Every structure is written in C-alpha cells, then in structure tokens.
Amino acid sequence: MNMVVQEMNFSSEKIFAFTVLLLMLLSIIVIIHNENIVNNKFIKAIDITGAEGIRSFASYNELRDFISKHLSYNIIPVFGVTVTKLESSVPTTMSEQSNYYSKTNVQVEGVDELDIVKTDGRYIYVASNNTVYIIMAYPPKDSKIASKIVLDDKIIGMFLFNDKLAVITSKDSNDNYEVSIRIYNIKNRNTPELITDLSVNGFFFESRAMKDHIYLIVKAPVIKIHKTFLWGTSNPNIFESIEFPVIKINSTIINIPANQIFYISGSNETYYEYTIIVAFNVSSYENPTVGAFLLGDANTLYMSLHNLYIASARWKVTPVLNSIPIIVRNFYETTLIYRFSVSGSDIKYEASGEVPGTILNQFSIDEYDGYLRVATTKWNAKPKNDIYVLSVNNMKIVSNITDLAPGEWIYSARFIDDRCYLVTFKKTDPLFVIDLSNPAYPKVLGWLKIPGFSNYLHPYDETHVIGIGKDTVEVEQGDFAWYQGIKMSLFDVSDPQNPKEVAKYIIGDRGSDSPVLHDHKALLFDASRKILALPVLVAQKDNPNTPPYEYGKPVWQGAYIFNVSLEKGFVVIGRISHLNTTMNSTSNLFYEGKYFVKRILYINDVLYTISDKMIKMNNIKDMSELNKIIF
C-alpha cells in the first residue's frame, strides 16, 4: 500500500514538474513571439525619438481605454469616398530604348503619384476595372496586348519600377475591407509574376513613390464599421467593439503592436480613426516600415523630397452641435498638419502644426527652402482666405496674410518657388499673385479680376501660368454666376503687380466637363513641344440665345490637343475620340462609359489616347491615326 502511494506521489511530482516545464516553454515561446514583433522581425517601427507631444500605447488595454474615453460619442465613420485619381503626363528624359515619353503629371518632381496608366517608353500599362493590361505599344505597327493581370479587387492605380510593377487595390465588402500592394516581376512582360502581396486592413487614402520605395497611407475605423453609438451618451459596448490595425505580408498576419500605435498627448479630438503609414522597398526583401496614428479626420496628403505631411481637419464641439453628425466639413475650424521625415524606408515623426481654416487639396500645401506654405479658407459668417507660412523644423507659424477675398472660396492654389498663385471665386475670378520671397513678410503683389475661374493652375514658363476651369456668366440680380463651358486661360505674371490674361479658349457650353477640373493628373503638358492635351466632355446648346442657366446637350467626348504659345495662345491641332457615330449615346459620353478617354500620353512622335476599352495611336504632328487596340 505504501509502495503504491509512493509511486502515485512520484507520478504526481513528475506530472507537476512536466507541467511547470511546459508552462515555462510556452512562456518563452510567447515572449519570443512577442519580441519578434516588438523587435521588428516582420515590420520596422516608425521612429518618434525626440519628437514632442507624441506617445505610443503600452498595451492594447491602454489603447482600448483611450478609445473608450474619447469615442463615447462616436458615430459611424465615413469611409471609401476617396476618388481614384486619374494620372497624366509631363516630359521626361530619354529611356533605355532612347524613346522620349511622358510621365505622370505630379506636384513635386521626383515624387511619383499613383496612376491608372504608366509607360516605360515601349510598353503601356493600363488599369481598367479589375484588370491590368500590359501593352507592347511602341512602335505602333507592332502594338499588341502582351499579357494581362486579372484581380478580384478594385484597382486604385499603379507604380512602375523598371522591371517591377506595383498594383494597389482595395476591397470593401461587408466587414472585409483592406488595401493591398501587389508587386509583380515584369522582366518578361508576357508572363508577369507575383512576388509580394502586402495588405492593410482599412480604406485607401493616398500613396506616393520615390526611387524604389512606395509610401502607402490607409485609414481604418477604430470601431467595428457597422456599430453605431450616440453622441454624448455612455456606451459600455464600445470597449468590445474596438478594432486593432492589422497588416498581412504574403501569408503572415501581423497585429500592429500597441507600441507602434501612436497618439498626440493632450489632444482632445472629436473624432478618431487609424491613419496607417507603410513604407515598402520594392527592390529588396527588407521589412516594411509600419506605424498607426490616431490623427482624427486625415483628409489631405502632401509629400516633398524629404518630408511627408498629413493634414487633418478639426473642429470644436459646442452644446449647440450635440445633435449634428461629426463629419460635417462646414463646421471645421482648424487644420492640423503632421510632418514625417522620410529617407527610404526610414520614417520619423518630427512635429505638428495648426492653422485656422480648411485646405482645398494637396496644392494648398507646399514646402520650399525650409518653410511650409499653406492656403486655407475659414468660415465666420462668410468665407475668408488666408496664407500661412510655417517653419518646417518646428511647424510653428512664422507669418500670414489673412482675410483675402471675403465672401469667396479658394478654387485653386499653386505655389511656384517663392510665389503663390491663388484663385478665389463667387461671381468673378480674382487671380492673386502673392510674394513669399521673405517668409517673415509675405505680401500680395497684385490681382486680376475676370469672368470665370480656374480649378487648376499649371506653370507654363517662369513668367506665365495656365489656368483650366469654367467660364461664367454673372446674374443680373444676385451675388453669383452661372457656370458655362470649359475655360482655358494663359496668364502673364511677368509684372506681378499687374497680371494679365493674354489668351483664352472656351470649350462647349454649360454642362461641358473635364477630369482635369477635379484631378490635375488628367492633364498632359509638354513645355518643350508646347503641347497641351486634356480629356473633355462637350455639351452644346441647340440655341445659343437660351438663358445661361440652361444646360447644353452632351454631344462629344474625347481628347482636345492644343498648341500653346505666347504668340498665338491656344490653337486646336487635333480632336481624338474613341466613339463612332453609332456609339455616341449619352451613356457612352460620361466618365463611366467604356470609351471615355481618360488618359493621354506620348512616346516619341506617337500620341496615345486611352479609355477602358481602347488605346488609339495618332501621329503627334498631323494627328493621323496609326493603329488602335481594343481590349
């Protein structure tokens, strides 16, 4: 009996010892696994060393507590409204094949922007719906579809890196929402090979590329997307409904660690979401750099050669607004701007600044010679417009010009070196020329008031600027004007105190439109050839004497090609459409139509117009048709 008890005790001791050993091993495994994530075995962290006012979370529980406290009044966030940007072209240097070809029309030279069309001077890469077509395009007589990549997700755009093609896609179905970067080896254009698939849970916000690196910014909800909570009430279920940012690299799923999720200490935002930044080197197998930030309503991105800026609209809660949804831009009061220094895959948060008012788009922000210049519109009984100059180093305001064009809104802005060109509009179009050569003392040099307005400003040369927008007709009674056809202006700013409109051209009547009015990247401009091309939808009235508020009927869609010179202004040298008379129905004329020309580029002396179903090739000198490919 004693022997049996002793044997049982011995067995219990063995079991206990084995259990302790097993628990120790499991603890070590867990520690190693956690250390792998924290020590960046899979992802590198964004650096916040030395930056003031930014903190990371010690644990997911601390993150939950923070979100529960600040989002007790959260409502359903608004996502998925980012417009796919239509890229176009500016001249570049000779390619390896000695072909002279156009590239994406970007804001900052050296910083590429996402595009639905890319070319390397021989092949053209076209994203149409959920398919990427790789077209052998030059010479046109040999053009053909070399291969295609069919995807299940929506294609946002592409970047081209020599023999690698990066395709950025988005998925949004029920609770499944993610943005992916798919890298393809295209050394053999006939057989593209997927080599990397990186995905982030969230919705596409913006992306840029420099050299061999892609910078992807994704916005993600902090609360499960179908959960609704009332403003100003206690919501105990928030704690269980909080989401955490996730990244997937090929088949490896990684929860972004709490210490790589950041917030601004002392901030008291009325709305939070994750703004996730990913930097990825397409030419190496190094780990991507990843960080998630609680920044409020991030709405604009600007990137220079050295810094990435994210702007976030902000407004203050007052008791009067307690029953109004959070996402109402008319109530935004200020804009927070966060600066991240960028060097390859190394990203470091540096500083943030705040300016009154809201910004229109990426062209409202510009970095130059150690200073950040920002154009804003603020609302107080009526709109007023300001220019702010901030020190890049600490993001503090150095100087400003306030209360420009009271009662009007900014329609376009363009910072070119030490000047700002600003267009505001309500009834007529004031073009302001603003001197920023002394950052401490900016001043308005001159302005010009003419009918119409410009949605986009593009430099022509050192003393001339092109404006593209709408013509207008002022009402006889009232303080507004009726939009008319597309208006193109050439402004002479050689005498900044007396800017002049030296040439103009108007396309169509009221109802005419162009993607350029909403997205600068739909424009092709070649300064050396003095060629400007843009996609347009032309609307015409049957009776030109009808009232200015009546719309014309859509009659044509395609590309207008101009020669632009100081001597002759805008001269039409060609019109190219993908529609024939049998296809010229109203549905085909609009942007959703399969043959709507969205993109225009050139390779040597061949002009390519691109729609979702066709590439047409024309001689750039006489516009004669050379060939076409139908997808």
Side-chain angles (χ1 to χ4, degrees):
M1 182 69 178
N2 289 337
M3 287 181 64
V4 173
V5 171
Q6 287 176 358
E7 287 178 3
M8 290 179 64
N9 289 339
F10 179 74
S11 298
S12 298
E13 291 173 1
K14 287 174 64 178
I15 292 171
F16 177 78
F18 177 79
T19 302
V20 171
L21 179 61
L22 181 60
L23 290 173
M24 290 176 63
L25 287 172
L26 288 173
S27 299
I28 292 171
I29 291 171
V30 170
I31 291 170
I32 291 175
H33 176 70
N34 288 337
E35 287 298 314
N36 283 340
I37 295 177
V38 174
N39 292 330
N40 304 320
K41 178 178 179 180
F42 301 110
I43 55 177
K44 294 167 58 179
I46 290 178
D47 187 8
I48 62 169
T49 305
E52 295 183 1
I54 190 164
R55 302 286 186 270
S56 64
F57 295 97
S59 66
Y60 284 136
N61 281 337
E62 184 181 341
L63 173 59
R64 286 189 181 97
D65 290 339
F66 179 90
I67 293 174
S68 297
K69 176 183 176 182
H70 287 82
L71 293 187
S72 61
Y73 41 77
N74 194 54
I75 65 167
I76 295 178
V78 176
F79 292 104
V81 295
T82 303
V83 177
T84 302
K85 296 186 178 293
L86 305 178
E87 316 289 336
S88 189
S89 316
V90 291
T92 186
T93 56
M94 303 295 282
S95 71
E96 293 180 359
Q97 296 85 14
S98 297
N99 289 337
Y100 182 60
Y101 60 95
S102 55
K103 282 194 173 181
T104 303
N105 177 25
V106 298
Q107 181 181 7
V108 178
E109 186 176 356
V111 181
D112 198 10
E113 300 185 24
L114 204 61
D115 198 347
I116 58 170
V117 172
K118 294 287 183 182
T119 183
D120 54 22
R122 187 182 180 193
Y123 289 86
I124 294 177
Y125 309 83
V126 180
S128 175
N129 298 315
N130 68 330
T131 301
V132 175
Y133 295 92
I134 300 179
I135 312 292
M136 192 175 76
Y138 193 87
K141 64 182 179 64
D142 298 326
S143 60
K144 64 179 182 179
I145 298 175
S147 60
K148 61 183 180 179
I149 303 168
V150 181
L151 298 166
D152 294 330
D153 304 335
K154 176 185 176 183
I155 299 174
I156 302 295
M158 301 171 291
F159 291 113
L160 183 62
F161 304 88
N162 296 322
D163 288 335
K164 290 187 175 67
L165 180 70
V167 182
I168 295 184
T169 65
S170 70
K171 179 190 296 182
D172 178 11
S173 58
N174 297 325
D175 288 333
N176 189 8
Y177 41 90
E178 66 180 20
V179 180
S180 299
I181 305 174
R182 293 182 170 93
I183 309 297
Y184 293 87
N185 184 335
I186 54 170
K187 190 170 186 178
N188 184 343
R189 265 62 174 179
N190 297 314
T191 56
E193 176 189 3
L194 178 65
I195 53 178
T196 302
D197 188 352
L198 183 153
S199 299
V200 184
N201 278 19
F203 300 88
F204 177 78
F205 175 45
E206 267 290 6
S207 188
R208 296 289 187 271
M210 278 199 297
K211 297 181 180 178
D212 293 333
H213 288 82
I214 293 175
Y215 304 92
L216 174 67
I217 296 86
V218 172
K219 302 204 306 185
V222 297
I223 303 293
K224 292 185 187 302
I225 195 165
H226 295 300
K227 294 289 184 180
T228 304
F229 299 105
L230 299 177
W231 190 310
T233 61
S234 176
N235 295 292
N237 292 330
I238 286 181
F239 198 86
E240 289 77 22
S241 301
I242 291 171
E243 300 265 59
F244 300 112
V246 175
I247 184 170
K248 181 171 68 174
I249 305 173
N250 296 323
S251 59
T252 303
I253 299 174
I254 305 160
N255 291 315
I256 297 178
N259 66 351
Q260 285 177 233
I261 302 174
F262 307 98
Y263 68 100
I264 306 300
S265 62
S267 65
N268 188 24
E269 298 291 338
T270 55
Y271 172 76
Y272 280 106
E273 64 188 355
Y274 297 114
T275 299
I276 304 166
I277 302 174
V278 179
F280 185 70
N281 188 334
V282 302
S283 298
S284 72
Y285 294 97
E286 68 180 37
N287 296 333
T289 301
V290 180
F293 296 80
L294 291 171
L295 297 184
D297 181 24
N299 52 29
T300 306
L301 179 137
Y302 165 77
M303 189 170 186
S304 69
L305 294 174
H306 305 290
N307 293 289
L308 184 149
Y309 299 86
I310 295 176
S312 175
R314 187 182 192 187
W315 66 288
K316 297 177 182 179
V317 179
T318 62
V320 176
L321 303 178
N322 277 350
S323 61
I324 299 177
I326 284 177
I327 306 301
V328 181
R329 293 192 182 278
N330 286 345
F331 292 99
Y332 286 144
E333 294 187 358
T334 64
T335 297
L336 290 165
I337 304 174
Y338 304 89
R339 179 174 71 85
F340 302 82
S341 63
V342 175
S343 178
S345 59
D346 294 330
I347 299 180
K348 182 178 181 181
Y349 173 80
E350 299 278 5
S352 66
E354 187 171 5
V355 294
T358 58
I359 60 178
L360 176 66
N361 55 33
Q362 67 189 63
F363 288 98
S364 297
I365 309 177
D366 178 81
E367 178 189 311
Y368 181 74
D369 200 22
Y371 293 92
L372 189 72
R373 295 87 63 88
V374 184
T376 71
T377 298
K378 63 178 183 291
W379 178 271
N380 185 9
K382 61 182 179 179
K384 296 179 181 180
N385 307 288
D386 306 335
I387 300 290
Y388 294 92
V389 180
L390 294 80
S391 168
V392 166
N393 183 45
N394 59 18
M395 295 295 289
K396 302 296 184 184
I397 294 176
V398 173
S399 62
N400 60 51
I401 300 175
T402 61
D403 298 343
L404 290 168
E408 300 183 356
W409 299 87
I410 292 176
Y411 268 56
S412 60
R414 191 72 189 241
F415 294 89
I416 303 174
D417 297 333
D418 59 5
R419 281 190 189 172
C420 172
Y421 301 98
L422 193 70
V423 171
T424 62
F425 179 75
K426 185 174 183 182
K427 192 170 184 178
T428 57
D429 172 6
L431 170 71
F432 290 94
V433 181
I434 299 168
D435 178 25
L436 299 168
S437 58
N438 185 342
Y441 298 99
K443 58 183 178 181
V444 176
L445 297 177
W447 62 87
L448 169 68
K449 283 203 171 189
I450 54 175
F453 59 86
S454 298
N455 292 100
Y456 175 62
L457 298 171
H458 192 93
Y460 177 82
D461 60 20
E462 292 182 353
T463 56
H464 294 82
V465 177
I466 296 170
I468 303 174
K470 287 288 186 74
D471 190 28
T472 59
V473 174
E474 298 182 27
V475 297
E476 294 181 1
Q477 295 180 346
D479 196 17
F480 67 97
W482 298 108
Y483 298 172
Q484 300 298 304
I486 300 166
K487 181 182 180 183
M488 306 174 63
S489 300
L490 183 61
F491 298 108
D492 182 347
V493 291
S494 56
D495 178 2
Q497 294 181 340
N498 186 32
K500 298 178 181 178
E501 184 185 53
V502 294
K504 69 177 182 179
Y505 190 93
I506 296 173
I507 302 173
D509 296 320
R510 181 170 170 83
S512 300
D513 203 359
S514 170
V516 174
L517 304 184
H518 317 289
D519 188 341
H520 65 283
K521 288 161 291 195
L523 177 72
L524 166 65
F525 177 69
D526 184 332
S528 62
R529 286 174 164 173
K530 295 182 171 55
I531 285 180
L532 182 149
L534 71 164
V536 296
L537 166 64
V538 179
Q540 287 183 346
K541 295 182 179 181
D542 295 330
N543 181 359
N545 297 319
T546 56
Y549 55 80
E550 289 190 4
Y551 284 89
K553 177 184 177 182
V555 295
W556 188 89
Q557 198 286 319
Y560 264 70
I561 301 94
F562 295 88
N563 176 270
V564 187
S565 67
L566 302 181
E567 299 76 23
K568 297 182 179 180
F570 299 94
V571 178
V572 178
I573 59 175
R575 296 199 329 161
I576 300 170
S577 178
H578 288 191
L579 297 167
N580 56 39
T581 55
T582 62
M583 302 157 58
N584 225 20
S585 67
T586 302
S587 61
N588 284 326
L589 291 170
F590 290 98
Y591 187 84
E592 295 78 11
K594 296 178 181 179
Y595 294 93
F596 187 104
V597 173
K598 298 179 179 179
R599 195 55 92 252
I600 310 161
L601 59 85
Y602 66 78
I603 302 174
N604 291 339
D605 289 332
V606 182
L607 190 74
Y608 298 82
T609 52
I610 302 160
S611 64
D612 281 336
K613 289 293 291 182
M614 182 188 295
I615 296 181
K616 188 176 281 190
M617 304 158 218
N618 292 72
N619 188 305
I620 204 168
K621 296 179 179 178
D622 60 14
M623 295 298 148
S624 59
E625 186 174 324
L626 302 174
N627 202 350
K628 65 182 178 183
I629 292 177
I630 299 176
F631 305 144

